[in-house]
Each structure stands twice: as C-alpha cells, then as structure tokens.
Amino acid sequence: MIAPLFALLLQVTPVAPIVKGTALPPPGEEQTVLAVANNLFDALSARDKARALTFFRPDGAAQAVVEKPDGSRKLRHMTWPEFIGGIPDSGPVFVEKLTNPAVEIDGDIAMIWSDYVATVDGKVIHCGVNHFDLVREGGQWKILNITWTQRTTGCPAA
C-alpha cells in the first residue's frame, strides 16, 4: 500500500520552462525587482562594496557552479562578505549584464532568471545563467540568494 502511494508522490508533472524575455518590457513590479539586480551590478562595477551589501538579506548567500574548460564542474559557496570581497579595489573594471531576463513574482517573493555576460575592460571573461531569489521586506526587495553558472566557452560577444 505504501509503495504505490510513494510512487505517486514521485511523479513529476511536466511544466514548461519560463520563457526568457517574457517579462520585458516589465509592466510594473517586475521592473522594481529587476532594478535590484541591475543596481547591484552597478555598485560592483563602481567598486562600492558598502552599497552592494545593502541589496542583500544578511542570511543569504551566493553559489556558483563553475564549469572548467575540461567540462568538470565545481560548486563554490560564498557568504555576502566573501562574494563582495572578490571585487578588487582597483584595476580593470568588471561589468556584468543580464540578457533576456524573466521575472516571476508571487506576493513577497520573486525570482529573476537570466543569461548574463561578464566583462573586464570590455573583454568577455565568462558567461552563464543567473538565478536571483528575492524577498520583499518593509516594502523593499532584498536578494536572499544568487546562484549562477559560470563558463568561459560559448559566450556571446560583449
């Protein structure tokens, strides 16, 4: 009796993936959610670490699935201070841009799923997909988690 019930619980209803770019141009709150990610990237490019930290909930984290040229992958987990600490205080300028973002909102939770390209002084250094989890507190959206893939092959031009 338990086995058939368990098998039923394991069945997955197929769901179509979010179509990238369907949230643009954003009709309302989606623009506010997307602005959090874009403002974070602006702060990182400006090396304004204190400002960058204001976009995060303190209990969140960053995760990267880094794909190496040989195809192997490594998971990196970082606290916000570790994530921000990776931004150099001087030198070439790092810029990250989202392309074709999809934004989903339900009440006080939201997510952004988007391709991205990262450059240093205009040269592509890696690309992949960003996934932001956000929560709204006190009327403001805060990033709870960022997870991204990171690869150096197959990236589009900047």
Side-chain angles (χ1 to χ4, degrees), residues 60-144:
Q63 290 77 217
V65 179
V66 180
E67 183 177 316
K68 298 178 182 177
D70 67 3
S72 64
R73 291 175 175 82
K74 178 182 177 183
L75 176 65
R76 291 180 53 213
H77 174 84
M78 295 160 273
T79 63
W80 296 131
E82 290 168 336
F83 175 74
I84 298 300
I87 304 301
D89 293 327
S90 62
V93 177
F94 174 85
V95 175
E96 186 165 339
K97 296 286 184 190
L98 300 178
T99 58
N100 300 319
V103 177
E104 295 289 331
I105 301 170
D106 185 37
D108 288 334
I109 66 169
M111 67 152 243
I112 303 167
W113 180 277
S114 181
D115 296 324
Y116 77 89
V117 176
T119 62
V120 170
D121 281 348
K123 180 182 175 196
V124 174
I125 58 167
H126 61 81
C127 62
V129 171
N130 279 331
H131 172 235
F132 290 80
D133 292 319
L134 299 95
V135 294
R136 183 171 30 206
E137 296 179 313
Q140 287 198 312
W141 289 102
K142 295 287 185 172
I143 299 168
L144 179 61

Side-chain angles (χ1 to χ4, degrees), residues 13-100:
T13 303
V15 176
I18 296 171
V19 178
K20 293 178 184 175
T22 57
L24 294 179
E29 190 69 21
E30 289 87 353
Q31 181 63 47
T32 304
V33 169
L34 194 55
V36 175
N38 289 327
N39 290 336
L40 168 65
F41 290 146
D42 289 346
L44 295 175
S45 292
R47 296 184 175 99
D48 189 342
K49 296 177 185 182
R51 180 172 175 245
L53 285 170
T54 67
F55 297 105
F56 303 123
R57 275 193 47 89
D59 54 343
Q63 290 77 217
V65 179
V66 180
E67 183 177 316
K68 298 178 182 177
D70 67 3
S72 64
R73 291 175 175 82
K74 178 182 177 183
L75 176 65
R76 291 180 53 213
H77 174 84
M78 295 160 273
T79 63
W80 296 131
E82 290 168 336
F83 175 74
I84 298 300
I87 304 301
D89 293 327
S90 62
V93 177
F94 174 85
V95 175
E96 186 165 339
K97 296 286 184 190
L98 300 178
T99 58
N100 300 319

